[in-house]
Amino acid sequence: MNVSEAVATRRSVRAFLDKPVDLDLLRDLIERAGRAPSGGNLQPWHVHVVSGGAMDRLKAIMRARLAEAPFGDPPDYAVYPSPLGEPYRSRRFQVGEAMYAGLGIPREDKPARLRWFAGNWQFFGAPVGLFCTLRRDHGPPQWSDCGMFLQTLMLLLREAGLDSCAQEAWSAHHATVRDFLGLPEEQMLFTGMAIGFRDPDSPLNQFPVERAPIGEWARFHD
């Protein structure tokens, strides 16, 4: 698989097969993703991989946590601007509606949507979870660097036949994750990521995800 194929076939996978991931392979891919660019070569990302017994413990903790605090912790950062203007609001709405249509959950069935959304904190059944953190005193350029690292990793995973889903939803339970990982106070959770093999039969991995045409967001100056 070349880079173009990895880009074209990567998607946010939200249903995984019960199939183990080779952790030696994953370690190699994460190490190679460390070649991602970063301003001043700071390499600001910190990565925590969770699998096996640690994954079982975290899932149990999150089931209990959701029962006592379904809306999580006071946020460390806003995932989206408020208010979210156009065309971004419509893009977000369209992909969400396509996903729930694939699941057969209508807009008015809020409890069913919330139950499904809780799958985020079970990594959608993936056998491996990853968390990316960075220092609290780092700014937007370092957040951008972490994004480049994560995208590099997701493409390497795809090349290796694996799939992923970046999950900023984990930021809603940052305190629980920090306690579980034993993070120092100066480290801040950016995102989680589910890693495994996609279930090709799940409607969650089949609904269309549109992209805006290049004319909406690119200008060529000559």
Side-chain angles (χ1 to χ4, degrees):
M1 184 182 296
N2 61 34
V3 175
S4 295
E5 291 168 331
V7 171
T9 60
R10 187 217 62 81
R11 66 178 290 148
S12 295
V13 168
R14 296 179 177 88
F16 290 84
L17 296 174
D18 183 15
K19 180 178 178 180
V21 170
D22 183 335
L23 294 182
D24 289 333
L25 170 63
L26 182 57
R27 177 183 289 272
D28 176 65
L29 297 177
I30 291 171
E31 183 174 14
R32 285 197 272 157
R35 297 296 306 175
S38 60
N41 199 33
L42 295 189
Q43 304 164 68
W45 46 81
H46 293 258
V47 173
H48 301 261
V49 179
V50 179
S51 64
M55 174 69 88
D56 293 338
R57 292 192 297 275
L58 178 57
K59 286 182 175 181
I61 288 170
M62 288 307 302
R63 284 192 291 270
R65 179 62 177 155
L66 288 177
E68 65 185 23
F71 298 106
D73 309 311
D76 261 347
Y77 72 92
V79 175
Y80 301 107
S82 181
L84 182 61
E86 294 294 349
Y88 315 105
R89 181 180 180 278
S90 292
R91 292 173 185 170
R92 184 184 179 213
F93 177 82
Q94 287 165 1
V95 73
E97 288 305 299
M99 181 180 67
Y100 286 116
L103 288 166
I105 301 176
R107 190 185 313 174
E108 61 271 13
D109 193 347
K110 301 298 185 185
R113 290 191 171 199
L114 287 172
R115 285 194 298 272
W116 178 86
F117 193 77
N120 270 286
W121 298 294
Q122 300 292 308
F123 289 104
F124 300 121
V128 177
L130 177 148
F131 293 105
C132 179
T133 71
L134 73 167
R135 286 186 58 94
R136 291 183 181 276
D137 58 357
H138 283 181
Q142 287 73 53
W143 285 68
S144 174
D145 294 341
C146 288
M148 288 190 284
F149 166 81
L150 293 166
Q151 174 71 344
T152 301
L153 175 59
M154 288 188 283
L155 294 179
L156 288 169
L157 289 166
R158 191 71 202 104
E159 180 190 49
L162 289 157
D163 293 287
S164 62
C165 182
Q167 299 174 272
E168 284 180 300
W170 277 98
S171 65
H173 291 276
H174 58 88
T176 302
V177 173
R178 184 172 64 249
D179 290 345
F180 181 80
L181 297 177
L183 297 178
E185 181 57 36
E186 66 269 16
Q187 284 292 316
M188 179 178 179
L189 176 64
F190 172 21
T191 188
M193 181 186 293
I195 298 173
F197 296 91
R198 77 176 70 182
D199 179 353
D201 298 323
S202 172
L204 283 166
N205 298 328
Q206 297 174 5
F207 67 88
V209 181
E210 302 297 334
R211 290 293 190 265
I214 188 172
E216 287 189 16
W217 47 265
R219 293 179 61 192
F220 293 82
H221 304 262
D222 57 22

